[in-house]
């Protein structure tokens, strides 16, 4: 029987997307590459632990959970987290950014300066620009300022991002337009925190990095992995945590966060899909000029 590997999710490196596995192994992903994996009969998804520590009881977790953590580990993971806004004393400098995922979908966010653009790749930002840099609390205040004054959200649902990826504007200039407009309005606000240094608008486009040019529309998305189930096909694109896999029935989105916590086996199938899939409605698959 083939060796099983416990998945740790998708990672973005300077060379592109990679699947990470427990023990340090990485599998590079390239466009057109065959992706094929499955769960053994009787397999169980177990908690991935928190903050670098294994779950002490290796608790079983739901196949539909994108966090793959039991309640205790999830609570511990968020107890000292910038993302969860439970830490205020991080001395590191932070970037404030504007990220665009499709028409009408621009958000504001923050990321540690030392991380560079990794956070934007992890979120699947098609285009982004830095807005400013400074201490954590100044960055947080800027987020709040943009939400209150310009009604800019700090979250865009992944379902909305997926719905528009195959029909994005053709030119980089069109994809950058909303970011440029919002950047100009943001830096003109009077209540800008003094300790946050404004940065010029310099849009960065990830269309090529994600492989989104000429991406076929997806017909559905995997909702969970199950014991005995398998996914195989050719990789059409990858954005954020999502793989767009071309199967026998069309392109299907696989959220790699659903793979974490499972021990996965290589499979020999080609275009096989024997896991639960939510089919997209016709409007989700074809309308790309707004939210649902």
């Amino acid at each position: 029987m083939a060796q099983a590997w416990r998945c740790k999710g998708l990672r973005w490196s300077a060379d592109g997307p990679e699947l990470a596995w427990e023990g340090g192994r990485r599998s590079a992903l390239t466009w057109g590459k065959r992706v094929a994996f499955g769960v053994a009969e009787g397999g169980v998804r177990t908690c991935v632990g928190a903050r670098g520590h294994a779950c002490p009881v290796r608790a079983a977790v739901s196949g539909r959970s994108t966090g793959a953590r039991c309640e205790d580990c999830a609570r511990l993971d968020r107890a000292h987290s910038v993302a969860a806004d439970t830490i205020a004393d991080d001395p590191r400098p932070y970037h404030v950014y504007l990220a665009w995922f499709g028409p009408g979908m621009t958000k504001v966010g923050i990321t540690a300066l030392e991380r560079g653009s990794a956070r934007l790749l992890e979120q699947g930002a098609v285009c982004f620009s830095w807005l400013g840099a400074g201490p954590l609390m100044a960055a947080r205040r800027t987020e709040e300022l943009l939400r209150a004054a310009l009604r800019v959200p700090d979250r865009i649902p992944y379902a909305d991002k997926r719905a528009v990826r195959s029909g994005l504007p053709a030119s980089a200039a069109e994809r950058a337009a909303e970011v440029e407009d919002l950047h100009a309005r943001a830096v003109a606000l009077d209540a800008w925190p003094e300790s946050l240094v404004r940065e010029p608008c310099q849009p960065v486009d990830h269309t090529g990095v994600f492989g989104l040019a000429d991406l076929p529309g997806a017909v559905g998305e995997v909702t969970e992995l199950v014991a005995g189930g398998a996914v195989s096909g050719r990789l059409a694109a990858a954005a954020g945590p999502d793989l767009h896999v071309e199967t026998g029935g069309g392109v299907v989105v696989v959220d790699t966060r659903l793979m974490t916590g499972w021990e996965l086996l290589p499979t020999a199938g080609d275009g096989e899909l024997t896991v639960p899939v939510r089919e997209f409605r016709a409007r989700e698959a074809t309308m790309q000029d707004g939210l649902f």
Side-chain angles (χ1 to χ4, degrees), residues 162-168 212 214-218 285 288:
R162 292 166 187 149
V164 300
R165 284 191 189 131
S166 63
L168 296 171
L212 300 182
D214 301 318
L215 177 67
Q288 307 296 335

Side-chain angles (χ1 to χ4, degrees), residues 74-98:
R75 190 178 304 113
L76 175 62
D77 189 64
R78 295 179 67 83
H80 194 68
S81 165
V82 170
D85 205 16
T86 55
I87 177 173
D89 57 353
D90 189 339
R92 296 176 299 171
Y94 275 77
H95 259 140
V96 183
Y97 61 80
L98 297 172

Side-chain angles (χ1 to χ4, degrees), residues 58-273:
R58 289 184 60 84
V61 294
S62 166
R64 292 177 177 263
S65 166
T66 55
R69 290 186 173 91
C70 65
E71 289 186 11
D72 288 341
C73 287
R75 190 178 304 113
L76 175 62
D77 189 64
R78 295 179 67 83
H80 194 68
S81 165
V82 170
D85 205 16
T86 55
I87 177 173
D89 57 353
D90 189 339
R92 296 176 299 171
Y94 275 77
H95 259 140
V96 183
Y97 61 80
L98 297 172
W100 182 87
F101 301 91
M105 284 184 270
T106 304
K107 63 157 280 187
V108 61
I110 70 172
T111 184
L113 214 70
E114 64 191 33
R115 295 206 68 208
S117 62
R119 181 65 180 143
L120 285 305
L121 292 166
E122 292 166 358
Q123 293 184 66
V126 177
C127 178
F128 83 93
S129 176
W130 303 126
L131 181 61
L136 172 59
M137 295 313 294
R140 280 291 189 215
R141 286 196 298 273
T142 305
E143 267 193 315
E144 294 168 2
L145 175 63
L146 266 64
R147 287 200 297 268
L150 302 179
R151 297 185 178 179
V152 183
D154 62 352
R155 296 180 187 277
I156 301 289
Y158 275 105
D160 296 348
K161 301 175 189 179
R162 292 166 187 149
V164 300
R165 284 191 189 131
S166 63
L168 296 171
S171 71
E174 290 176 284
R175 294 190 293 270
E178 289 185 37
V179 168
E180 291 172 336
D181 175 68
L182 186 57
H183 187 286
R185 289 190 288 138
V187 297
L189 292 172
D190 292 333
W192 190 276
E194 291 183 4
S195 56
L196 197 85
V197 179
R198 292 173 174 81
E199 296 201 7
C201 186
Q202 296 178 331
V204 176
D205 194 281
H206 286 154
T207 301
V209 177
F210 292 154
L212 300 182
D214 301 318
L215 177 67
V219 299
E221 61 185 3
V222 171
T223 56
E224 63 178 318
L225 302 188
V226 293
V231 174
S232 68
R234 296 178 67 81
L235 183 65
D242 295 339
L243 303 181
H244 289 246
V245 179
E246 191 170 356
T247 71
V251 172
V252 172
V253 180
V254 181
D255 186 338
T256 55
R257 295 175 300 173
L258 298 175
M259 297 167 61
T260 58
W262 286 105
E263 289 192 342
L264 302 177
L265 298 164
T267 65
D270 188 12
E272 182 182 16
L273 192 65

Side-chain angles (χ1 to χ4, degrees), residues 21-66:
W21 307 94
E22 199 169 80
R25 181 186 176 195
R26 297 285 182 99
S27 300
L29 297 171
T30 55
W31 318 137
K33 178 177 181 176
R34 179 173 171 271
V35 176
F37 61 88
V39 181
E41 292 287 352
V44 176
R45 191 186 193 197
T46 55
C47 175
V48 297
R51 310 194 66 79
H53 300 285
C55 177
V57 296
R58 289 184 60 84
V61 294
S62 166
R64 292 177 177 263
S65 166
T66 55

